[in-house]
């Protein structure tokens, strides 16, 4: 173990602090030093809460010295996408406009729960403006950069979260996923990400994008850490009307259970199209390791993606209408134009999209009567170059920004839980989606753990970090 626990998993950091092999303040100072050294290149952090982190770490060390019972994440550094409220900071949500807001008076619920488990908040992370982004590029704060190749995108909109975890600045980060904003950066940056079931984790005191399918969730470099953070954040919350009242269902103790009895299938049809060779290779490695021989077709997935786009742009346009009217020039023009278009979507089209959404959810849930897990690509390709405008998919030249989430949108649209697992390829990693039925995060995490144990899925340390 390095003196400051560098590159250790969160679980091992907490164990080392509890056993007095290392102090929480040493871990925190080392993480702050890594941020200082590498953030100028990665541009993952927009706000560093150094003094708050030091105070929290000292409190953890005092608890260790007093022999108090520690939380499972005691002393573990983490950071959050800057759409989470952080007490004392304006919640910028990747925008220019929001930084004029008053400082938040209370942390987001998920920050409170992570700190209750002993974790140490180090700051806020870069993101696409108002979460309407798949690239990780930001005209206000600068682009976040991929730790495996800093000339490439992190993916978005949780680009800073992917870069911070992938680059070893923190072992854990939180992000949001509306149409793929956890799974895309996980894929591009080569880390694990969890988009839980819609309503599983509280969104209280986070800035919304599309309330009807916004999710919050964690990024990590191991499945164990993903599960630990997920367990710490579970629970109902009256401050989020969309949060479920289900009992807490911990998953960490279940990861090593045998998956031989699980019915696992590959998503066919739509999900076998629009793929670069690297995405096909990643899927092949996963299905081979799991012994998958069955294929299922998710019906009308292309139509689901279209309906997700209609609802996203309409809800987003409505949310930002006053800002669009009063401060149009303070938006990224690409974001502004899509939100303006969304604000003008005819009501009958939105109504049809919502009716289709209900039908589609019923059809997909029917599939889970005969399968437990569905495997699908997370992104069509490895991370594109920063500033890349187009790529060629199935012989057709298409815009990068709009089509990175081509395989994630039909899934988040109906709130299914997904673990994105990183498959280390040369020259860049790429992710695969492990999709389960609602509330069965445990199954998706068990499969991810089996792939990690087999060496098929891994979050490798980038060169230079």
């Amino acid at each position: 173990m390095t003196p400051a626990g560098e590159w250790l998993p969160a679980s091992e950091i907490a164990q080392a602090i509890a056993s007095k092999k290392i102090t929480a303040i040493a871990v925190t100072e080392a993480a702050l030093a890594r941020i200082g050294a590498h953030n100028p290149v990665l541009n993952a952090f927009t706000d560093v809460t150094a003094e708050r982190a030091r105070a929290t770490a000292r409190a953890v060390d005092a608890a260790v010295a007093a022999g108090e019972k520690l939380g499972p994440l005691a002393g573990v550094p983490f950071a959050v996408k800057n759409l989470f409220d952080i007490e004392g900071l304006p919640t910028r949500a990747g925008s220019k406009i929001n930084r004029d807001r008053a400082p938040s008076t209370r942390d987001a619920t998920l920050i409170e729960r992570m700190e209750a488990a002993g974790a140490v908040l180090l700051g806020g992370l870069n993101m696409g403006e108002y979460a309407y982004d798949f690239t990780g590029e930001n005209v206000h704060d600068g682009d976040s950069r991929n730790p495996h190749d800093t000339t490439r995108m992190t993916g978005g909109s949780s680009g800073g979260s992917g870069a911070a975890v992938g680059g070893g600045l923190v072992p854990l980060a939180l992000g949001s996923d509306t149409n793929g904003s956890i799974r895309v950066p996980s894929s591009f940056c080569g880390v694990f990400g969890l988009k839980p079931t819609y309503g599983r984790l509280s969104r209280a005191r986070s800035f919304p994008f599309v309330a009807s399918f916004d999710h919050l969730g964690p990024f990590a470099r191991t499945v164990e850490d993903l599960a630990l953070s997920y367990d710490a954040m579970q629970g109902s919350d009256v401050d989020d009307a969309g949060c479920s009242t289900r009992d807490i269902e911990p998953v960490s103790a279940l990861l090593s259970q045998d998956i031989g009895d699980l019915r696992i299938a590959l998503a066919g049809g739509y999900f076998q199209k629009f793929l670069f060779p690297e995405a096909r290779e990643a899927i092949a490695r996963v299905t081979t390791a799991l012994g998958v021989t069955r294929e299922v077709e998710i019906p009308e997935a292309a139509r689901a993606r279209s309906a997700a786009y209609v609802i996203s742009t309409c809800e987003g346009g409505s949310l930002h209408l006053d800002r669009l009217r009063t401060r149009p020039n303070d938006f990224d023009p690409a974001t502004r134009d899509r939100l303006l278009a969304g604000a003008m979507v005819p009501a009958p089209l939105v109504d049809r999209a919502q009716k289709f959404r209900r039908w589609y959810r019923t059809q997909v849930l029917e599939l889970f009567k005969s399968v437990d897990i569905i495997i699908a690509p997370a992104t069509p390709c490895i991370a594109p170059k920063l500033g890349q405008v187009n790529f060629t998919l199935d012989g057709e030249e298409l815009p990068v920004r709009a089509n990175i989430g081509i395989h994630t949108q039909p899934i988040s649209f109906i709130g299914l839980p997904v673990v994105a697992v990183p498959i280390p390829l040369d020259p860049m990693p790429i992710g695969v989606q492990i999709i389960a039925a609602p509330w069965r995060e445990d199954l998706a995490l068990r499969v991810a753990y089996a792939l990690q144990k087999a060496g098929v899925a891994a979050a490798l340390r980038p060169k230079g970090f």
Side-chain angles (χ1 to χ4, degrees):
M1 183 175 69
T2 61
E6 187 178 18
W7 283 94
L8 278 182
S11 57
E12 293 185 28
I13 291 172
Q15 290 166 11
I17 289 170
S19 60
K20 302 183 180 180
K21 293 179 181 177
I22 194 171
T23 63
I25 191 64
V27 171
T28 296
E29 292 293 357
L32 290 170
R34 287 196 298 277
I35 294 167
H38 297 298
N39 197 61
V41 174
L42 295 178
N43 198 32
F45 277 80
T46 53
D47 304 277
V48 179
T49 55
E51 290 312 309
R52 170 176 171 160
R54 290 183 176 110
T56 305
R58 290 188 186 104
V60 171
D61 287 334
V64 173
E68 297 175 11
K69 183 178 179 181
L70 300 176
L73 296 172
V76 174
F78 79 108
V80 299
K81 188 174 183 174
N82 69 32
L83 57 66
F84 287 72
D85 286 3
I86 297 174
E87 185 179 354
L89 296 177
T91 304
R92 64 174 77 192
S95 70
K96 177 180 179 181
I97 297 170
N98 271 36
R99 64 196 69 193
D100 294 340
R101 289 158 59 101
S104 299
T105 58
R106 182 181 171 186
D107 292 328
T109 291
L110 295 192
I111 294 177
E112 293 179 345
R113 290 180 177 174
M114 289 287 285
E115 288 198 329
V120 178
L121 179 70
L122 267 63
L125 298 166
N126 203 354
M127 59 176 284
E129 185 180 44
Y130 290 125
Y132 203 172
D133 166 64
F134 277 135
T135 66
E137 297 172 328
N138 186 297
V139 300
H140 311 298
D141 294 309
D143 305 336
S144 51
R145 293 178 176 270
N146 196 304
H148 293 273
D149 179 346
T150 56
T151 69
R152 294 180 183 269
M153 299 174 181
T154 56
S157 61
S158 309
S161 303
V165 174
L169 306 188
V170 287
L172 294 171
L174 305 185
S176 68
D177 190 310
T178 302
N179 285 297
S181 290
I182 288 174
R183 290 160 291 159
V184 168
S186 295
S187 178
F188 286 174
C189 295
V191 298
F192 293 90
L194 170 63
K195 184 199 79 64
T197 306
Y198 180 81
R200 173 69 91 172
L201 298 183
S202 171
R203 301 167 302 178
R205 294 176 297 284
S206 65
F207 198 88
F209 172 31
V210 182
S212 64
F213 44 97
D214 285 343
H215 309 67
L216 303 182
F219 292 75
R221 293 193 296 269
T222 70
V223 179
E224 297 94 323
D225 286 0
L226 207 63
L228 271 178
S229 56
Y230 168 66
D231 284 350
M233 293 186 289
Q234 284 191 53
S236 61
D237 186 0
V238 295
D239 291 337
D240 175 8
C243 189
S244 170
T245 57
R246 289 175 69 94
D247 291 338
I248 294 172
E249 298 172 287
V251 298
S252 292
L254 308 177
L255 295 180
S256 60
Q257 288 185 359
D258 184 73
I259 64 167
D261 61 339
L262 296 185
R263 302 164 298 172
I264 305 175
L266 173 66
Y270 171 90
F271 290 93
Q272 294 305 305
K273 301 174 183 176
F274 317 112
L275 297 174
F276 282 63
E278 58 264 31
R280 295 189 185 279
E281 172 64 18
I283 287 288
R285 290 190 186 188
V286 168
T287 54
T288 298
L290 297 174
V292 175
T293 58
R294 183 177 176 186
E295 189 172 295
V296 295
E297 184 158 350
I298 296 176
E300 298 283 5
R303 194 175 170 199
R305 183 187 175 224
S306 298
Y309 177 78
V310 167
I311 295 169
S312 294
T313 192
C314 175
E315 283 197 35
S318 176
L319 175 68
H320 292 286
L321 195 55
D322 288 344
R323 282 175 283 272
L324 290 166
R325 285 171 172 158
T326 60
R327 298 183 64 173
N329 294 328
D330 288 334
F331 284 85
D332 176 344
T335 306
R336 179 193 61 215
D337 293 351
R338 284 178 293 154
L339 290 172
L340 282 170
M344 295 185 285
V345 172
L349 188 59
V350 181
D351 180 57
R352 290 181 184 182
Q354 292 286 15
K355 287 177 178 176
F356 169 79
R357 183 185 184 190
R358 290 190 289 272
W359 174 88
Y360 176 70
R361 186 175 189 274
T362 300
Q363 298 303 307
V364 175
L365 292 184
E366 190 69 23
L367 289 177
F368 282 107
K369 292 181 179 179
S370 59
V371 299
D372 299 301
I373 293 290
I374 298 175
I375 306 296
T379 54
C381 57
I382 60 172
K385 292 287 187 178
L386 284 165
Q388 184 175 333
V389 176
N390 297 314
F391 55 12
T392 301
L393 278 177
D394 282 4
E396 184 178 356
E397 188 170 352
L398 296 169
V400 167
R401 182 184 290 266
N403 288 285
I404 290 172
I406 197 167
H407 301 113
T408 55
Q409 285 175 290
I411 307 305
S412 41
F413 180 53
I414 51 172
L416 301 180
V418 186
V419 177
V421 297
I423 310 303
L425 302 180
D426 187 19
M428 294 287 291
I430 189 170
V432 170
Q433 295 186 88
I434 312 298
I435 307 163
W439 317 113
R440 296 314 307 264
E441 287 86 351
D442 61 316
L443 299 185
L445 286 160
R446 280 170 56 194
V447 172
Y449 181 77
L451 290 168
Q452 177 184 272
K453 192 174 180 182
V456 175
L460 300 185
R461 182 171 180 168
K463 294 177 182 178
F465 290 91

